[in-house]
Amino acid sequence: MEEEKKEVSEVKETEKKEVKAEGKKSFLNENTLEIITVILLGITALLTAWASYVGSIHGGNQATNYATSNNISSDGNSLYNAAVQNLSQDMGIWNTIASYEVEILYAESVKDNAAIEANVWKLQWFCEDNLPENMAAAIGYDVEKFNDGNNDTQEILEWLKDDKAITTPFTEEFVNKYFEEANTKLEEAEKVIEQGKQDNANGDKFSLVTVIYSVALFLLGIVGVFKNTTNKKLVLAVSVVCLIIAVIFMCTIPLPTSGGIFG
C-alpha cells in the first residue's frame, strides 16, 4: 500500500515538473507566434506606407526644386546679359567723357580759352544727360555743382586736377557691382538645385527603406507556412531584424522640408 502511494506521489511530481516545463516553453507557443506575427505585419505595413509616402514627397520636391532653379537661373542669366549691356554702355560714356577731358586739358596747356569753354560746355551737358550716378560718384563729378552756371569752368578745371577724375572708374570692384543682382540670383538657383539633388538622394534612400520593409513583410507573410515551431521562430526573428534595420535607417534620413503634411 505504501509502495502504491509512493508511486502515485512520484507520478504526480513528474506531472508537475512536466507542466512547469511546458509552462516555461509556452511563452512562444503557436497562438503567441500568430499574434506577434499579425501585430508585426500591421506595423510593417504602416511603416512601408509611411516610407513610400515620404519618399514620394521627396520626389515631388525634387521636381519642384529643379523647375524653380531653372526659372531663377533664367532670371539670373537675363540680369547678367542686362548687366553686360549696361557695362558696355557705361564704358562708352566714360570714353566720351575722357575724350572731353583730354580736349580740356590740352586747351588749358596751350592757353586756348575758347577751346576750354567749348569742351567744358560739351562735358557739362553730356554728363547731365548721360552720366550714371555710380560713375559720377566714382570719378567725383558733381552734376549739380558743375552745371549751376556759377563758375562752372573753373570748378571743372579744379576737378580735373584730381587723379580720380582722369582715371578709369572700371576697377574690378566697380565692374563687379554691375553683376551683383545677377550673381545673387544665380547663387540662389544653385542653392535650390542642390536642395533638389538632396531631395533626390533622400527619395532614393526611402525607396531602399521600402524594399527592406517589403522583405520583412514577405518573411512575416510566410511564417504561418512552416509547421515546425522552430522554423517559424527563425523566420520571425529574421523578419524582426529586417524591420529594426529599416526603422533605424529610416530615422537617419531627413524628412522633406515641404510638401504633404510637412507644409
Side-chain angles (χ1 to χ4, degrees):
M1 190 70 178
E2 290 181 0
E3 289 181 358
E4 291 179 358
K5 289 182 179 180
K6 187 177 180 180
E7 289 178 0
V8 171
S9 178
E10 288 177 355
V11 170
K12 289 182 178 180
E13 188 67 25
T14 303
E15 289 177 350
K16 287 180 180 180
K17 290 180 180 180
E18 289 177 353
V19 169
K20 288 181 179 179
E22 289 178 358
K24 291 179 180 178
K25 296 179 181 179
S26 64
F27 174 70
L28 285 179
N29 55 31
E30 291 290 334
N31 291 334
T32 305
L33 285 175
E34 289 180 4
I35 293 172
I36 293 174
T37 301
V38 170
I39 292 174
L40 289 177
L41 273 169
I43 293 173
T44 307
L46 290 174
L47 290 173
T48 303
W50 171 255
S52 178
Y53 170 70
V54 176
S56 67
I57 293 176
H58 274 299
N61 286 348
Q62 171 205 346
T64 300
N65 285 329
Y66 280 0
T68 302
S69 177
N70 287 334
N71 292 335
I72 296 175
S73 293
S74 179
D75 292 340
N77 289 330
S78 297
L79 290 170
Y80 188 90
N81 292 333
V84 170
Q85 293 177 355
N86 291 335
L87 177 61
S88 178
Q89 180 179 342
D90 288 351
M91 282 183 170
I93 291 173
W94 165 249
N95 290 335
T96 302
I97 292 173
S99 67
Y100 289 145
E101 290 178 341
V102 170
E103 293 293 337
I104 294 170
L105 292 172
Y106 175 76
E108 184 184 25
S109 67
V110 297
K111 309 299 181 182
D112 187 346
N113 292 331
I116 292 174
E117 292 293 339
N119 285 290
V120 164
W121 185 87
K122 292 177 183 178
L123 178 65
Q124 285 177 301
W125 293 108
F126 181 81
C127 288
E128 184 173 4
D129 291 339
N130 300 282
L131 184 62
E133 292 183 2
N134 62 331
M135 192 187 299
I139 64 177
Y141 188 93
D142 191 332
V143 176
E144 293 184 3
K145 180 181 178 182
F146 294 167
N147 203 33
D148 61 2
N150 185 17
N151 202 24
D152 294 337
T153 299
Q154 191 58 39
E155 289 174 347
I156 289 177
L157 291 174
E158 289 293 328
W159 166 67
L160 288 173
K161 293 178 182 179
D162 188 348
D163 288 341
K164 186 166 65 172
I166 58 176
T167 303
T168 177
F170 293 97
T171 61
E172 182 178 354
E173 181 181 359
F174 186 79
V175 171
N176 287 340
K177 289 182 179 179
Y178 284 84
F179 300 95
E180 282 182 349
E181 189 175 359
N183 288 335
T184 299
K185 279 287 184 182
L186 293 174
E187 288 173 4
E188 182 183 352
E190 185 64 24
K191 289 180 181 178
V192 174
I193 197 73
E194 286 300 323
Q195 182 60 51
K197 292 178 180 178
Q198 188 60 51
D199 282 320
N200 183 43
N202 291 336
D204 291 342
K205 290 178 182 178
F206 270 103
S207 295
L208 178 57
V209 169
T210 303
V211 171
I212 300 174
Y213 281 140
S214 298
V215 172
L217 280 173
F218 170 75
L219 293 174
L220 290 169
I222 65 174
V223 168
V225 174
F226 297 95
K227 295 182 179 180
N228 186 286
T229 304
T230 302
N231 291 338
K232 288 183 178 182
K233 292 178 181 178
L234 180 60
V235 175
L236 181 62
V238 175
S239 66
V240 170
V241 171
C242 291
L243 180 59
I244 292 172
I245 291 173
V247 170
I248 293 174
F249 184 28
M250 186 176 70
C251 291
T252 64
I253 308 171
L255 293 173
T257 54
S258 62
I261 65 174
F262 302 99

